[in-house]
Amino acid sequence: MIEFYLDSYSKVATYQQLVQQVKQSLRLGLLEPGDRLPKVREVAESLAINPNTVLKAYRQLEIEGLVAGRVGVGTFVVRSLAGPSLASLGRLRGELVAWLSRAAAAGLEHEDVLALVETTLRATFQAGQEEVA
Amino acid sequence: MSTALETNGLGKRYGRLWALRDCSLRLPTGRIAALVGPNGAGKTTLLHLAVGLIRPDAGAVRLFGQAPGSSRGLLSQVGFVAQQTPLYPDFTPAELITMGSKLNDRWDGAWPRERLGRLGIPLNRQVGKLSGGQRAQVALALALAKRPSLLLLDEPVASLDPLARREFLQALMGGVADEGTTVLLSSHLVGDLERVCDYLILLQAGQVQVLGAVEDLLTAHKVLIGPHRPGGNRVPGVAAVVRESHTGKQSTLLVRTSGPIHDPTWKVHDVSLEELVIAYLADASAGALPGPVHIEQEVTG
Protein backbone atom coordinates (compact mmCIF):
# COMPACT_ATOMS: atom_id res chain seq x y z
CA MET A 1 0.00 0.00 0.00
CA ILE A 2 1.31 3.44 -0.83
CA GLU A 3 0.82 6.63 1.12
CA PHE A 4 0.17 9.90 -0.69
CA TYR A 5 1.69 13.21 0.24
CA LEU A 6 1.01 16.67 -1.14
CA ASP A 7 3.48 19.39 -1.97
CA SER A 8 1.80 22.54 -0.66
CA TYR A 9 3.98 24.80 -2.75
CA SER A 10 3.54 22.88 -5.97
CA LYS A 11 1.65 24.53 -8.80
CA VAL A 12 0.54 21.08 -9.95
CA ALA A 13 -3.17 20.43 -9.33
CA THR A 14 -3.88 18.18 -6.36
CA TYR A 15 -5.46 15.37 -8.40
CA GLN A 16 -2.51 15.51 -10.80
CA GLN A 17 -0.10 15.11 -7.89
CA LEU A 18 -1.93 11.95 -6.85
CA VAL A 19 -1.81 10.61 -10.43
CA GLN A 20 1.91 11.31 -10.67
CA GLN A 21 2.63 9.57 -7.37
CA VAL A 22 0.82 6.41 -8.43
CA LYS A 23 2.69 6.42 -11.74
CA GLN A 24 6.00 6.92 -9.99
CA SER A 25 5.25 4.01 -7.65
CA LEU A 26 4.36 1.90 -10.70
CA ARG A 27 7.60 2.85 -12.39
CA LEU A 28 9.65 1.99 -9.32
CA GLY A 29 7.83 -1.29 -8.83
CA LEU A 30 6.42 -0.20 -5.46
CA LEU A 31 2.98 -0.91 -6.88
CA GLU A 32 2.32 -4.02 -8.94
CA PRO A 33 -0.70 -5.47 -10.72
CA GLY A 34 -3.15 -6.76 -8.12
CA ASP A 35 -2.19 -4.19 -5.48
CA ARG A 36 -5.03 -2.12 -4.04
CA LEU A 37 -4.84 1.68 -3.96
CA PRO A 38 -5.82 3.35 -0.67
CA LYS A 39 -9.58 3.85 -0.31
CA VAL A 40 -10.95 7.23 -1.37
CA ARG A 41 -12.07 7.88 2.21
CA GLU A 42 -8.62 7.07 3.59
CA VAL A 43 -6.88 9.46 1.20
CA ALA A 44 -9.44 12.23 1.71
CA GLU A 45 -9.09 11.93 5.45
CA SER A 46 -5.33 11.67 5.76
CA LEU A 47 -4.68 14.62 3.41
CA ALA A 48 -7.81 16.63 4.41
CA ILE A 49 -8.83 16.96 0.77
CA ASN A 50 -12.10 16.74 -1.11
CA PRO A 51 -13.00 13.08 -1.83
CA ASN A 52 -14.04 14.17 -5.34
CA THR A 53 -10.39 15.10 -5.99
CA VAL A 54 -9.28 11.56 -5.13
CA LEU A 55 -12.05 10.13 -7.31
CA LYS A 56 -10.90 12.32 -10.18
CA ALA A 57 -7.31 11.05 -9.84
CA TYR A 58 -8.45 7.41 -9.74
CA ARG A 59 -10.69 7.98 -12.76
CA GLN A 60 -7.78 9.46 -14.67
CA LEU A 61 -5.65 6.40 -13.86
CA GLU A 62 -8.53 4.18 -14.93
CA ILE A 63 -8.83 5.99 -18.28
CA GLU A 64 -5.11 5.43 -18.83
CA GLY A 65 -5.65 1.72 -18.23
CA LEU A 66 -3.41 1.53 -15.16
CA VAL A 67 -6.00 0.71 -12.53
CA ALA A 68 -9.53 -0.68 -12.42
CA GLY A 69 -12.24 -0.03 -9.86
CA ARG A 70 -14.31 -2.87 -8.47
CA VAL A 71 -17.55 -1.67 -6.94
CA GLY A 72 -17.56 -2.03 -3.17
CA VAL A 73 -14.08 -3.58 -3.10
CA GLY A 74 -11.64 -0.90 -4.16
CA THR A 75 -9.33 0.25 -6.92
CA PHE A 76 -6.66 -2.18 -8.10
CA VAL A 77 -3.54 -1.88 -10.20
CA VAL A 78 -3.90 -3.74 -13.51
CA ARG A 79 -0.78 -2.69 -15.35
CA SER A 80 2.77 -1.93 -14.31
CA LEU A 81 4.96 0.86 -15.66
CA ALA A 82 8.14 -0.79 -14.50
CA GLY A 83 10.18 -1.82 -17.54
CA PRO A 84 12.80 -4.56 -17.77
CA SER A 85 15.20 -1.97 -16.33
CA LEU A 86 13.65 -2.51 -12.89
CA ALA A 87 16.14 -5.25 -12.07
CA SER A 88 19.09 -2.92 -12.52
CA LEU A 89 17.52 -0.06 -10.52
CA GLY A 90 19.03 -1.23 -7.23
CA ARG A 91 22.57 -1.35 -8.61
CA LEU A 92 22.20 2.04 -10.36
CA ARG A 93 20.82 3.57 -7.20
CA GLY A 94 23.82 2.29 -5.23
CA GLU A 95 26.19 3.82 -7.77
CA LEU A 96 24.30 7.11 -7.58
CA VAL A 97 24.48 7.18 -3.78
CA ALA A 98 28.25 6.59 -3.97
CA TRP A 99 28.58 9.35 -6.56
CA LEU A 100 26.50 11.74 -4.43
CA SER A 101 28.76 11.23 -1.43
CA ARG A 102 31.79 11.92 -3.66
CA ALA A 103 30.04 15.10 -4.87
CA ALA A 104 29.37 16.14 -1.27
CA ALA A 105 33.00 15.48 -0.38
CA ALA A 106 34.03 17.67 -3.32
CA GLY A 107 31.96 20.50 -1.80
CA LEU A 108 28.91 20.43 -4.09
CA GLU A 109 25.69 21.53 -2.46
CA HIS A 110 22.18 20.27 -3.16
CA GLU A 111 21.54 22.86 -5.88
CA ASP A 112 24.96 22.38 -7.47
CA VAL A 113 24.21 18.67 -7.83
CA LEU A 114 20.79 19.37 -9.36
CA ALA A 115 22.26 21.87 -11.83
CA LEU A 116 25.02 19.46 -12.82
CA VAL A 117 22.63 16.55 -13.28
CA GLU A 118 20.19 18.65 -15.28
CA THR A 119 22.76 20.09 -17.70
CA THR A 120 24.53 16.73 -18.14
CA LEU A 121 21.21 14.99 -18.73
CA ARG A 122 20.24 17.51 -21.39
CA ALA A 123 23.66 17.43 -23.11
CA THR A 124 23.85 13.62 -23.09
CA PHE A 125 20.35 13.09 -24.43
CA GLN A 126 20.82 15.70 -27.14
CA ALA A 127 24.08 14.02 -28.23
CA GLY A 128 22.30 10.66 -28.25
CA GLN A 129 19.48 11.96 -30.41
CA GLU A 130 21.86 13.53 -32.90
CA GLU A 131 23.70 10.22 -33.27
CA VAL A 132 20.40 8.47 -33.98
CA ALA A 133 19.49 11.12 -36.53
CA MET B 1 -27.53 16.69 -11.84
CA SER B 2 -29.92 16.89 -8.87
CA THR B 3 -30.05 19.80 -6.48
CA ALA B 4 -29.42 19.68 -2.73
CA LEU B 5 -30.11 23.33 -1.94
CA GLU B 6 -31.85 25.97 -3.98
CA THR B 7 -32.90 29.52 -3.14
CA ASN B 8 -34.97 31.86 -5.24
CA GLY B 9 -35.13 35.58 -4.53
CA LEU B 10 -34.51 34.70 -0.90
CA GLY B 11 -34.51 37.60 1.56
CA LYS B 12 -34.44 38.15 5.29
CA ARG B 13 -34.90 41.49 7.03
CA TYR B 14 -34.02 42.54 10.55
CA GLY B 15 -35.91 45.77 11.16
CA ARG B 16 -35.14 47.92 8.14
CA LEU B 17 -31.91 46.15 7.31
CA TRP B 18 -31.86 43.31 4.80
CA ALA B 19 -29.40 40.68 6.08
CA LEU B 20 -29.95 38.74 2.87
CA ARG B 21 -31.54 40.10 -0.25
CA ASP B 22 -32.64 38.67 -3.56
CA CYS B 23 -30.46 35.63 -3.08
CA SER B 24 -30.75 33.02 -5.83
CA LEU B 25 -28.45 30.05 -5.95
CA ARG B 26 -28.31 26.33 -6.59
CA LEU B 27 -26.02 23.78 -4.95
CA PRO B 28 -25.83 20.46 -6.84
CA THR B 29 -25.70 17.24 -4.80
CA GLY B 30 -22.33 15.73 -3.98
CA ARG B 31 -20.55 19.07 -3.88
CA ILE B 32 -18.50 20.41 -0.99
CA ALA B 33 -19.23 24.10 -1.10
CA ALA B 34 -17.54 27.02 0.60
CA LEU B 35 -19.83 29.82 1.72
CA VAL B 36 -17.51 32.79 2.08
CA GLY B 37 -17.89 36.50 2.65
CA PRO B 38 -16.98 39.17 5.18
CA ASN B 39 -18.63 39.34 8.58
CA GLY B 40 -22.20 40.52 8.21
CA ALA B 41 -22.48 39.36 4.58
CA GLY B 42 -25.44 37.11 5.43
CA LYS B 43 -23.72 33.70 5.69
CA THR B 44 -25.29 32.69 9.01
CA THR B 45 -28.66 34.09 7.92
CA LEU B 46 -28.56 31.95 4.77
CA LEU B 47 -27.67 28.81 6.76
CA HIS B 48 -30.38 29.47 9.34
CA LEU B 49 -32.95 29.98 6.58
CA ALA B 50 -31.83 26.74 4.94
CA VAL B 51 -32.31 24.64 8.05
CA GLY B 52 -35.58 26.41 8.95
CA LEU B 53 -34.41 28.07 12.16
CA ILE B 54 -35.76 31.36 10.78
CA ARG B 55 -38.33 32.09 8.08
CA PRO B 56 -37.72 34.22 4.99
CA ASP B 57 -39.30 37.64 4.43
CA ALA B 58 -39.05 37.18 0.67
CA GLY B 59 -38.48 34.37 -1.79
CA ALA B 60 -38.09 30.69 -1.04
CA VAL B 61 -35.53 28.08 -0.03
CA ARG B 62 -35.76 24.38 -0.91
CA LEU B 63 -33.75 21.38 0.26
CA PHE B 64 -34.05 18.45 -2.12
CA GLY B 65 -37.09 20.23 -3.52
CA GLN B 66 -38.84 20.63 -0.16
CA ALA B 67 -39.30 23.58 2.20
CA PRO B 68 -37.15 23.28 5.36
CA GLY B 69 -38.98 21.59 8.22
CA SER B 70 -41.84 20.53 5.96
CA SER B 71 -41.41 16.83 6.66
CA ARG B 72 -39.85 14.49 9.18
CA GLY B 73 -38.08 12.71 6.35
CA LEU B 74 -36.36 15.90 5.29
CA LEU B 75 -35.23 16.68 8.86
CA SER B 76 -33.44 13.36 9.10
CA GLN B 77 -31.60 14.13 5.83
CA VAL B 78 -30.09 17.39 7.02
CA GLY B 79 -27.27 17.88 9.51
CA PHE B 80 -26.33 21.26 10.96
CA VAL B 81 -23.36 22.35 13.06
CA ALA B 82 -24.00 25.86 14.35
CA GLN B 83 -21.38 28.49 15.03
CA GLN B 84 -19.17 27.81 18.08
CA THR B 85 -20.50 24.22 18.00
CA PRO B 86 -22.99 24.60 20.86
CA LEU B 87 -23.41 21.43 22.95
CA TYR B 88 -24.90 20.88 26.42
CA PRO B 89 -21.76 21.46 28.53
CA ASP B 90 -22.84 19.20 31.42
CA PHE B 91 -23.39 16.19 29.15
CA THR B 92 -20.67 13.74 28.22
CA PRO B 93 -20.12 12.71 24.58
CA ALA B 94 -21.51 9.24 25.47
CA GLU B 95 -24.71 10.84 26.81
CA LEU B 96 -25.05 13.09 23.76
CA ILE B 97 -24.72 10.04 21.49
CA THR B 98 -27.49 8.28 23.46
CA MET B 99 -29.61 11.43 23.24
CA GLY B 100 -29.11 11.53 19.49
CA SER B 101 -30.31 7.96 19.17
CA LYS B 102 -33.58 8.85 20.95
CA LEU B 103 -34.18 12.00 18.91
CA ASN B 104 -33.40 10.76 15.42
CA ASP B 105 -34.99 8.23 13.10
CA ARG B 106 -31.74 7.54 11.35
CA TRP B 107 -28.82 7.20 13.77
CA ASP B 108 -25.57 5.29 13.74
CA GLY B 109 -24.32 5.48 17.35
CA ALA B 110 -21.40 3.11 16.85
CA TRP B 111 -19.83 5.45 14.33
CA PRO B 112 -19.25 8.52 16.60
CA ARG B 113 -18.11 6.24 19.46
CA GLU B 114 -15.48 4.62 17.26
CA ARG B 115 -14.53 7.95 15.68
CA LEU B 116 -14.09 9.85 18.97
CA GLY B 117 -12.30 6.88 20.55
CA ARG B 118 -9.79 6.88 17.71
CA LEU B 119 -9.16 10.61 18.26
CA GLY B 120 -8.52 9.96 21.96
CA ILE B 121 -11.50 12.05 23.09
CA PRO B 122 -12.80 10.80 26.47
CA LEU B 123 -16.45 9.70 26.07
CA ASN B 124 -17.21 10.12 29.77
CA ARG B 125 -15.87 13.61 30.41
CA GLN B 126 -18.30 16.53 30.42
CA VAL B 127 -18.26 18.33 27.08
CA GLY B 128 -17.70 21.67 28.88
CA LYS B 129 -14.34 20.36 30.07
CA LEU B 130 -13.07 19.39 26.63
CA SER B 131 -10.84 21.61 24.49
CA GLY B 132 -12.34 23.68 21.67
CA GLY B 133 -10.94 21.29 19.07
CA GLN B 134 -12.36 18.26 20.88
CA ARG B 135 -15.78 19.92 21.24
CA ALA B 136 -15.80 20.65 17.51
CA GLN B 137 -14.99 16.98 16.82
CA VAL B 138 -17.86 15.88 19.10
CA ALA B 139 -20.30 18.21 17.31
CA LEU B 140 -19.15 16.94 13.90
CA ALA B 141 -19.38 13.29 14.97
CA LEU B 142 -22.94 13.87 16.24
CA ALA B 143 -23.95 15.62 13.00
CA LEU B 144 -22.47 12.80 10.90
CA ALA B 145 -24.08 10.08 13.04
CA LYS B 146 -27.38 11.12 11.44
CA ARG B 147 -25.90 10.03 8.11
CA PRO B 148 -27.23 13.26 6.56
CA SER B 149 -27.49 13.80 2.80
CA LEU B 150 -26.77 17.49 3.32
CA LEU B 151 -24.48 18.82 6.03
CA LEU B 152 -24.34 22.54 6.82
CA LEU B 153 -21.61 23.97 9.03
CA ASP B 154 -21.36 27.55 10.24
CA GLU B 155 -17.73 28.69 10.69
CA PRO B 156 -16.69 25.31 12.10
CA VAL B 157 -12.95 26.00 12.12
CA ALA B 158 -12.85 29.74 12.84
CA SER B 159 -12.03 29.41 16.54
CA LEU B 160 -9.65 26.45 16.25
CA ASP B 161 -5.85 26.45 16.26
CA PRO B 162 -4.11 25.24 13.05
CA LEU B 163 -3.67 21.64 14.22
CA ALA B 164 -7.26 21.30 15.47
CA ARG B 165 -8.42 22.92 12.22
CA ARG B 166 -6.59 20.36 10.13
CA GLU B 167 -7.86 17.49 12.28
CA PHE B 168 -11.40 18.81 11.92
CA LEU B 169 -11.13 19.04 8.13
CA GLN B 170 -9.61 15.54 8.02
CA ALA B 171 -12.55 14.17 10.01
CA LEU B 172 -15.01 16.06 7.82
CA MET B 173 -13.50 14.87 4.51
CA GLY B 174 -13.32 11.28 5.75
CA GLY B 175 -16.83 11.48 7.18
CA VAL B 176 -18.51 12.62 3.98
CA ALA B 177 -16.47 10.51 1.52
CA ASP B 178 -18.32 7.22 1.71
CA GLU B 179 -21.80 8.48 0.93
CA GLY B 180 -20.98 11.52 -1.16
CA THR B 181 -22.66 13.83 1.35
CA THR B 182 -23.32 17.36 0.08
CA VAL B 183 -21.62 19.92 2.33
CA LEU B 184 -22.08 23.66 2.72
CA LEU B 185 -19.41 25.15 4.93
CA SER B 186 -19.18 28.82 5.84
CA SER B 187 -15.81 30.34 6.57
CA HIS B 188 -13.77 33.45 6.20
CA LEU B 189 -10.51 31.48 6.10
CA VAL B 190 -10.23 30.74 2.40
CA GLY B 191 -6.73 29.26 2.46
CA ASP B 192 -7.96 26.25 4.43
CA LEU B 193 -10.68 25.54 1.92
CA GLU B 194 -8.70 25.46 -1.31
CA ARG B 195 -8.26 21.67 -1.22
CA VAL B 196 -11.52 20.95 0.55
CA CYS B 197 -14.16 22.75 -1.48
CA ASP B 198 -15.13 22.24 -5.11
CA TYR B 199 -17.92 24.81 -5.17
CA LEU B 200 -17.93 28.46 -4.19
CA ILE B 201 -20.71 30.72 -2.97
CA LEU B 202 -19.42 34.21 -2.22
CA LEU B 203 -21.80 36.53 -0.39
CA GLN B 204 -21.28 40.23 -0.02
CA ALA B 205 -23.66 42.72 1.59
CA GLY B 206 -26.50 40.20 1.60
CA GLN B 207 -26.19 39.21 -2.05
CA VAL B 208 -24.56 36.44 -4.05
CA GLN B 209 -21.50 37.87 -5.77
CA VAL B 210 -19.74 34.78 -7.11
CA LEU B 211 -21.23 31.32 -7.64
CA GLY B 212 -19.95 28.21 -9.36
CA ALA B 213 -17.70 25.17 -9.46
CA VAL B 214 -14.22 26.08 -8.22
CA GLU B 215 -12.61 24.38 -11.21
CA ASP B 216 -14.69 26.45 -13.66
CA LEU B 217 -14.01 29.67 -11.76
CA LEU B 218 -10.26 29.06 -11.66
CA THR B 219 -10.23 28.24 -15.37
CA ALA B 220 -12.14 31.39 -16.20
CA HIS B 221 -9.93 33.75 -14.19
CA LYS B 222 -6.36 34.75 -14.98
CA VAL B 223 -3.80 37.25 -13.82
CA LEU B 224 -2.32 39.27 -16.69
CA ILE B 225 0.97 41.08 -16.28
CA GLY B 226 2.14 43.45 -18.98
CA PRO B 227 3.41 46.92 -19.80
CA HIS B 228 1.66 49.83 -18.14
CA ARG B 229 -1.63 50.40 -19.87
CA PRO B 230 -4.22 52.51 -18.05
CA GLY B 231 -7.69 51.21 -18.80
CA GLY B 232 -5.99 48.24 -20.44
CA ASN B 233 -9.05 46.10 -20.14
CA ARG B 234 -9.76 45.95 -23.86
CA VAL B 235 -7.70 42.82 -24.29
CA PRO B 236 -9.31 40.25 -26.60
CA GLY B 237 -10.52 37.34 -24.46
CA VAL B 238 -11.14 39.44 -21.35
CA ALA B 239 -14.78 39.61 -20.24
CA ALA B 240 -14.22 41.79 -17.19
CA VAL B 241 -11.41 43.19 -15.09
CA VAL B 242 -11.96 42.26 -11.45
CA ARG B 243 -8.92 43.96 -9.96
CA GLU B 244 -6.18 46.07 -11.47
CA SER B 245 -3.05 47.73 -10.18
CA HIS B 246 -0.56 49.83 -12.04
CA THR B 247 2.97 51.00 -11.50
CA GLY B 248 4.77 53.41 -13.81
CA LYS B 249 5.91 50.55 -16.01
CA GLN B 250 3.64 47.62 -15.39
CA SER B 251 -0.03 46.72 -15.13
CA THR B 252 -1.35 43.72 -13.23
CA LEU B 253 -4.93 42.67 -13.94
CA LEU B 254 -7.04 39.92 -12.45
CA VAL B 255 -9.60 39.22 -15.15
CA ARG B 256 -12.55 37.01 -15.92
CA THR B 257 -11.97 35.64 -19.40
CA SER B 258 -14.36 34.84 -22.21
CA GLY B 259 -11.78 32.94 -24.25
CA PRO B 260 -8.06 32.33 -24.59
CA ILE B 261 -5.76 35.34 -24.34
CA HIS B 262 -3.31 35.38 -27.22
CA ASP B 263 -2.05 38.97 -26.98
CA PRO B 264 1.71 38.38 -26.51
CA THR B 265 2.25 41.60 -24.57
CA TRP B 266 0.48 40.02 -21.57
CA LYS B 267 2.01 37.26 -19.49
CA VAL B 268 -0.84 35.02 -18.33
CA HIS B 269 -0.82 33.39 -14.87
CA ASP B 270 -3.28 31.08 -13.12
CA VAL B 271 -5.03 32.30 -9.97
CA SER B 272 -5.53 30.57 -6.65
CA LEU B 273 -8.95 30.38 -5.02
CA GLU B 274 -7.76 32.71 -2.29
CA GLU B 275 -6.59 35.38 -4.77
CA LEU B 276 -9.87 35.14 -6.62
CA VAL B 277 -11.99 35.49 -3.49
CA ILE B 278 -9.96 38.43 -2.17
CA ALA B 279 -10.17 40.23 -5.53
CA TYR B 280 -13.96 39.96 -5.55
CA LEU B 281 -14.27 40.92 -1.89
CA ALA B 282 -12.28 44.08 -2.59
CA ASP B 283 -14.63 45.12 -5.38
CA ALA B 284 -18.26 44.68 -4.49
CA SER B 285 -19.40 45.85 -7.93
CA ALA B 286 -17.76 42.93 -9.77
CA GLY B 287 -19.63 39.67 -10.07
CA ALA B 288 -19.30 36.20 -11.54
CA LEU B 289 -22.58 34.37 -11.74
CA PRO B 290 -23.66 31.57 -14.05
CA GLY B 291 -26.42 31.90 -16.62
CA PRO B 292 -28.81 34.84 -16.66
CA VAL B 293 -27.23 37.19 -14.16
CA HIS B 294 -29.71 38.05 -11.49
CA ILE B 295 -28.53 41.44 -10.32
CA GLU B 296 -30.58 44.60 -10.08
CA GLN B 297 -28.10 47.16 -11.26
CA GLU B 298 -25.87 46.56 -14.23
CA VAL B 299 -22.34 45.47 -13.40
CA THR B 300 -19.84 48.12 -14.30
CA GLY B 301 -16.22 47.32 -14.72
Side-chain angles (χ1 to χ4, degrees):
Chain A
M1 182 77 71
I2 57 164
E3 194 178 353
F4 292 106
Y5 67 92
L6 288 178
D7 181 352
S8 318
Y9 296 100
S10 172
K11 282 260 175 190
V12 179
T14 306
Y15 91 93
Q16 203 62 45
Q17 288 194 41
L18 301 181
V19 168
Q20 284 171 1
Q21 278 168 46
V22 170
K23 285 186 178 172
Q24 180 148 22
S25 298
L26 289 170
R27 229 166 254 133
L28 294 173
L30 297 173
L31 278 177
E32 291 173 332
D35 286 349
R36 186 170 68 78
L37 294 184
K39 285 184 183 144
V40 171
R41 174 174 44 76
E42 294 166 351
V43 182
E45 180 161 348
S46 69
L47 300 176
I49 61 171
N50 192 316
N52 294 330
T53 307
V54 188
L55 279 172
K56 187 173 173 183
Y58 283 12
R59 232 177 354 245
Q60 172 76 31
L61 290 162
E62 207 164 343
I63 289 168
E64 295 186 31
L66 297 171
V67 305
R70 278 186 244 151
V71 179
V73 192
T75 305
F76 293 85
V77 175
V78 293
R79 189 158 71 79
S80 174
L81 286 175
S85 59
L86 186 62
S88 35
L89 274 187
R91 182 177 51 80
L92 287 165
R93 189 173 186 283
E95 287 170 16
L96 187 56
V97 170
W99 181 85
L100 282 173
S101 46
R102 285 207 301 281
L108 271 75
E109 287 182 11
H110 189 93
E111 292 193 351
D112 300 324
V113 170
L114 281 180
L116 183 59
V117 168
E118 232 166 68
T119 49
T120 313
L121 200 64
R122 219 177 302 135
T124 312
F125 272 107
Q126 255 168 22
Q129 275 167 1
E130 275 158 22
E131 271 167 42
V132 172
Chain B
M1 201 182 289
S2 56
T3 301
L5 169 72
E6 189 165 21
T7 70
N8 214 319
L10 187 66
K12 177 70 190 173
R13 199 176 50 185
Y14 294 108
R16 281 155 72 187
L17 188 76
W18 288 88
L20 197 70
R21 187 164 207 182
D22 204 11
C23 169
S24 298
L25 60 89
R26 197 181 85 84
L27 174 60
T29 54
R31 292 288 190 170
I32 298 178
L35 176 61
V36 300
N39 292 328
K43 303 190 294 286
T44 298
T45 301
L46 175 60
L47 292 173
H48 284 189
L49 286 165
V51 292
L53 281 173
I54 52 175
R55 301 208 170 276
D57 293 311
V61 55
R62 295 281 179 271
L63 307 175
F64 304 105
Q66 301 176 56
S70 63
S71 78
R72 205 180 154 94
L74 180 62
L75 269 181
S76 73
Q77 272 183 283
V78 180
F80 179 52
V81 178
Q83 208 161 359
Q84 259 112 45
T85 55
L87 296 168
Y88 296 104
D90 295 337
F91 280 44
T92 66
E95 288 164 346
L96 288 169
I97 292 167
T98 306
M99 189 170 108
S101 73
K102 309 280 185 203
L103 292 174
N104 289 279
D105 292 338
R106 224 171 13 160
W107 187 261
D108 180 358
W111 192 84
R113 259 177 246 279
E114 188 270 334
R115 168 92 235 160
L116 296 176
R118 198 144 45 92
L119 289 166
I121 293 173
L123 288 174
N124 292 313
R125 184 177 301 165
Q126 289 178 335
V127 165
K129 292 181 178 155
L130 299 176
S131 73
Q134 289 177 325
R135 265 202 307 279
Q137 291 282 5
V138 173
L140 176 65
L142 290 170
L144 286 170
K146 280 182 80 169
R147 294 274 159 225
S149 309
L150 172 63
L151 177 62
L152 304 123
L153 306 105
D154 195 359
E155 298 277 6
V157 295
S159 61
L160 302 182
D161 65 66
L163 177 62
R165 213 183 290 160
R166 183 175 166 86
E167 285 173 347
F168 185 91
L169 292 175
Q170 284 180 316
L172 177 63
M173 291 302 97
V176 302
D178 281 338
E179 302 187 18
T181 313
T182 311
V183 179
L184 179 57
L185 164 73
S186 81
S187 179
H188 49 240
L189 298 162
V190 189
D192 282 343
L193 304 182
E194 185 119 36
R195 289 215 168 107
V196 167
C197 295
D198 54 20
Y199 209 80
L200 177 71
I201 301 170
L202 196 158
L203 286 184
Q204 177 132 255
Q207 295 198 308
V208 183
Q209 194 187 358
V210 180
L211 175 68
V214 168
E215 200 178 357
D216 298 343
L217 289 168
L218 292 183
T219 309
H221 289 81
K222 299 283 176 205
V223 168
L224 307 185
I225 299 175
H228 177 68
R229 225 192 269 181
N233 49 358
R234 282 187 190 76
V235 183
V238 169
V241 176
V242 182
R243 175 177 59 75
E244 55 188 308
S245 60
H246 304 278
T247 68
K249 293 195 166 171
Q250 184 182 290
S251 292
T252 306
L253 315 174
L254 194 151
V255 301
R256 183 159 54 84
T257 62
S258 54
I261 290 163
H262 294 304
D263 185 341
T265 52
W266 295 96
K267 197 162 174 346
V268 182
H269 297 270
D270 290 333
V271 294
S272 67
L273 184 61
E274 191 165 14
E275 279 176 291
L276 186 146
V277 166
I278 287 170
Y280 275 102
L281 287 178
D283 182 3
S285 69
L289 301 168
V293 178
H294 195 74
I295 298 182
E296 277 168 308
Q297 76 271 35
E298 199 52 45
V299 172
T300 50

